[in-house]
Amino acid sequence: MDDHTSDTTLTRRELIARGAGALVTTGVAAAAGMLLHESGDAPQRKPDAAARLPDYFAAIDFPQSNPRISIAGGTEDRIGQMVRAAVNGLAPSQGMGAFVSSGDVVLIKPNAGFDRPVRLGATTHPEVVRGLLRMCREAGARRIIVTDNPIEDPQSCFARTGIGDVAREEGAEVVLPVRSGFREVMVRQRRPQRAAGEILEHWPMLFEPLAAATKVIGVAPVKDHSLCGASMNLKNWYGLLGGRRHQLHQAIHETISDLAMLISPTLVVADGTRVMMQNGPTGGRISDVQAGGRIGRPVVVAAVDPVACDAWCFENLLGRDPGTLAYLEYAQRKIEVAVSQGTHRFGRCDWREYERLGQIASSGV
């Protein structure tokens, strides 16, 4: 684990070079299309039978002049108001109505990966989830699903984190992972090019709730991660993977960026109400956690560009150089290719470009 931790001090170029070389030697050929399943999982399917995910941002008419990132600061007793302010900052005249319409089925994907209480910062704050649920309902969502595939026992994780209770209180449907809900999903329709930082061709994912959704919102805590440097919104999609996903840790930056290319969310929200500054991703000590990280007070960040959102949070909340986080540049490259092929989305690792263009909103509640 120490070797992986030291990677966070390397430059992005060094990390990319190291990652490309590692793919040749770590024996993760399974991740490049030869699927490995947990005992009892569904039998392996051929790649051409794999499911395909829609672009959940494609239907959003997002003006070029609107902010790409919106930051709302406040206090711990005003988390709901912070969520509302952050989302409204992206579309001042419409708020959540710019993203969710009457009749939509909305999937909200928090990080509920660990059986930990809220104060330890290992999972998404349930009040951030509550704020999103209320806004989606107000915007006319017909059905709201909350799901994750936790590392620890799912039922315990949703209970201990408080996310399950909040979802039910707000009339949402909690979908716990079951074997029948997984299906192989096509990541790309060709063999991955390892030199380009690609690793996944197809892989089992928690597909059933994704297939039901017309809109997808990711909401992740901002925290340290000993293996990849940080766990934020792009890493949050890892929680939808099935199979022997731990094997993908050997190519973590390639995997995270592949998922960033695969999943085009409607919206992402970064939970900076309490930031795990060290000993992530599990933590376990109050001393690991700081409200708002380097900012020093709780913040919620909403964005239509998940890559830029992660870069902003990495620098401003964790106090680290985004140039050391290889999966950001990988993700930008892959999303640029997707955009050139007709995908309607954003994926820029230089958040300061949005700042120069006046496309970062900030507010307090």
Side-chain angles (χ1 to χ4, degrees), residues 16 84 104 132 143 197 227 258-260 291 353 363:
I16 290 173
R84 189 172 295 272
D104 268 332
L132 288 171
R143 177 186 177 197
L227 187 61
D258 269 357
L259 293 172
E353 179 63 20
S363 61

Side-chain angles (χ1 to χ4, degrees), residues 262-318:
L262 171 67
I263 300 177
S264 178
T266 307
L267 176 71
V268 295
V269 175
D271 169 13
T273 57
R274 65 276 181 272
V275 177
M276 187 186 295
M277 304 298 291
Q278 59 191 6
N279 297 318
T282 57
R285 301 181 305 188
I286 293 294
S287 59
D288 294 332
V289 180
Q290 184 174 329
R294 295 300 183 195
I295 289 180
R297 64 169 183 158
V299 295
V300 173
V301 186
V304 293
D305 187 330
V307 182
C309 183
D310 275 10
W312 188 93
C313 291
F314 193 66
E315 183 167 342
N316 292 280
L317 303 188
L318 284 168

Side-chain angles (χ1 to χ4, degrees), residues 152-331:
E152 298 173 341
D153 176 68
Q155 191 164 9
S156 298
C157 289
F158 273 92
R160 189 82 180 279
T161 62
I163 294 172
D165 286 344
V166 161
R168 284 183 283 268
E169 288 166 9
E170 298 299 327
E173 177 184 348
V174 176
V175 174
L176 299 179
V178 294
R179 188 174 302 167
S180 61
F182 288 84
R183 184 175 172 186
E184 285 179 22
V185 170
M186 180 68 69
V187 180
R188 53 177 54 86
Q189 298 183 56
R190 55 170 173 77
R191 286 192 174 278
Q193 298 176 8
R194 295 180 178 181
E198 300 172 354
I199 188 65
L200 297 175
E201 183 177 347
H202 49 101
W203 195 266
M205 296 186 72
L206 185 52
F207 180 73
E208 192 171 87
L210 285 166
T214 57
K215 304 291 173 61
V216 170
I217 300 174
V219 51
V222 177
K223 58 181 180 175
D224 173 64
H225 196 290
S226 61
L227 187 61
C228 62
S231 177
M232 300 174 286
N233 274 300
L234 299 185
K235 176 64 171 62
N236 190 35
W237 305 125
Y238 210 96
L240 294 174
L241 295 176
R244 297 177 183 174
R245 63 185 181 185
H246 62 279
Q247 294 194 354
L248 298 175
H249 287 171
Q250 298 173 83
I252 192 73
H253 291 277
E254 293 79 4
T255 300
I256 293 171
S257 56
D258 269 357
L259 293 172
M261 179 269 295
L262 171 67
I263 300 177
S264 178
T266 307
L267 176 71
V268 295
V269 175
D271 169 13
T273 57
R274 65 276 181 272
V275 177
M276 187 186 295
M277 304 298 291
Q278 59 191 6
N279 297 318
T282 57
R285 301 181 305 188
I286 293 294
S287 59
D288 294 332
V289 180
Q290 184 174 329
R294 295 300 183 195
I295 289 180
R297 64 169 183 158
V299 295
V300 173
V301 186
V304 293
D305 187 330
V307 182
C309 183
D310 275 10
W312 188 93
C313 291
F314 193 66
E315 183 167 342
N316 292 280
L317 303 188
L318 284 168
R320 303 173 188 177
D321 179 7
T324 66
L325 204 57
Y327 64 71
L328 294 178
E329 185 167 313
Y330 276 144

Side-chain angles (χ1 to χ4, degrees), residues 48-64:
D48 59 7
R52 289 172 172 78
L53 295 182
D55 182 347
Y56 298 103
F57 191 71
I60 307 302
D61 182 15
F62 199 78
Q64 284 295 319

